[in-house]
Amino acid sequence: MKVFVRFLILVSALGIIGIIIVGMSLNALVKTGVETMGSKVLGVPVTLKEVDISLLSGGKDVQVSLNELIIKNPDEYETDYAFSLSNIRVLVDQKSVLTNTVVIDEIIIDGLAITFEGSLLGSNLGDIQGNLKRSTDSESDEEAEEKAEEHEDGEEHKKHVHIKKVAMKNAKISLRLFSDQKEAILLVLPDFKLQDIGKESGVTSFSKASAKIFDAIYGVVIKAVTKPDKLIPKSFEQ
């Protein structure tokens, strides 16, 4: 009997170790994917300190926490980064993970710090948006759908995504319009939400969905920056 109990304990311990190893592998894969795909589509270095994947109580959603995400500036700009975020929470419908379309119930972007640096020809965010547009406009949703239909049964299909909701709150901008500007101007952005990205076509790729989120954030930033009466001139605390 004691031998059997010890055997069960050993099996349980090995199972727990296996789960930990798998979890660590998934974390590493997501981290590498975010950094690789992000850097490719944005045209600037993207770094992510760590990823934490956990199953929420109730078992419907998997929570993916992206911690300390930094999106750098193009080389010609002086400030350190364009975007800095301590945490992004992504709630994924676990049943959709093994299907062709991953369903993300919600993305929560809280406390995004943005650096808007102007130049003679535009801005750092404008340049990044240009990179993103060039990298994602090469293939439309309709073309992606046609390619998906060309796959034969049994072949691996390209992953698509449907994002039900994106919420951004507590975001702020450090505004630098001139190279000799001694003090950044602080601008607090209004909260906003996006809904149903990728629902209509059903074939939106992760990169194209990311582009739509970036475009929305860029639009809010530009709208705020072009209203100087709402700017709050004081040092930007990081």
Side-chain angles (χ1 to χ4, degrees):
M1 185 66 177
K2 289 182 179 180
V3 174
F4 181 68
V5 171
R6 289 175 182 174
F7 174 75
L8 290 179
I9 293 173
L10 177 61
V11 170
S12 299
L14 291 174
I16 293 171
I17 292 172
I19 290 172
I20 293 173
I21 292 173
V22 170
M24 292 174 64
S25 299
L26 287 174
N27 293 346
L29 285 172
V30 173
K31 179 181 183 298
T32 301
V34 170
E35 291 179 334
T36 302
M37 186 184 79
S39 300
K40 180 179 179 180
V41 300
L42 296 177
V44 294
V46 175
T47 61
L48 180 62
K49 183 176 181 180
E50 63 180 4
V51 175
D52 182 22
I53 302 176
S54 59
L55 183 64
L56 295 181
S57 59
K60 179 182 181 295
D61 283 338
V62 174
Q63 177 175 277
V64 181
S65 293
L66 310 179
N67 301 318
E68 298 188 32
L69 176 68
I70 303 291
I71 299 175
K72 296 284 189 176
N73 274 321
D75 292 338
E76 60 268 28
Y77 292 92
E78 297 179 358
T79 48
D80 291 336
Y81 63 82
F83 297 92
S84 175
L85 188 59
S86 59
N87 178 263
I88 301 176
R89 290 177 57 217
V90 183
L91 304 182
V92 183
D93 185 336
Q94 67 162 330
K95 292 182 179 179
S96 71
V97 172
L98 298 179
T99 68
N100 286 338
T101 300
V102 176
V103 177
I104 297 178
D105 287 328
E106 188 173 20
I107 297 176
I108 303 167
I109 305 171
D110 190 1
L112 176 63
I114 304 168
T115 301
F116 186 97
E117 183 180 345
S119 70
L120 293 176
L121 300 177
S123 69
N124 59 334
L125 301 192
D127 289 354
I128 293 174
Q129 190 198 37
N131 295 338
L132 182 59
K133 186 174 179 62
R134 283 188 292 273
S135 65
T136 56
D137 276 1
S138 59
E139 181 179 288
S140 66
D141 283 343
E142 289 76 14
E143 290 171 334
E145 184 175 10
E146 289 177 2
K147 288 183 179 180
E149 290 175 351
E150 290 174 359
H151 282 282
E152 296 179 1
D153 292 340
E155 291 187 358
E156 183 180 356
H157 290 194
K158 182 179 179 182
K159 284 285 187 181
H160 305 295
V161 65
H162 170 208
I163 303 174
K164 291 184 177 181
K165 180 181 176 182
V166 179
M168 187 181 84
K169 55 185 179 180
N170 302 320
K172 55 186 178 182
I173 301 175
S174 173
L175 180 62
R176 295 182 179 274
L177 298 177
F178 312 101
S179 59
D180 59 348
Q181 185 177 333
K182 296 181 180 179
E183 192 176 71
I185 298 173
L186 175 65
L187 175 63
V188 178
L189 291 180
D191 299 347
F192 81 94
K193 295 180 181 179
L194 297 173
Q195 291 184 321
D196 284 333
I197 298 174
K199 181 180 180 180
E200 293 182 1
S201 67
V203 292
T204 297
S205 66
F206 281 87
S207 59
K208 289 183 75 67
S210 300
K212 291 180 181 180
I213 295 172
F214 186 94
D215 284 345
I217 295 175
Y218 181 74
V220 172
V221 170
I222 293 300
K223 185 176 180 180
V225 167
T226 54
K227 293 183 178 180
D229 57 306
K230 293 186 178 181
L231 301 181
I232 306 171
K234 67 176 184 179
S235 295
F236 178 68
E237 298 179 358
Q238 299 186 32

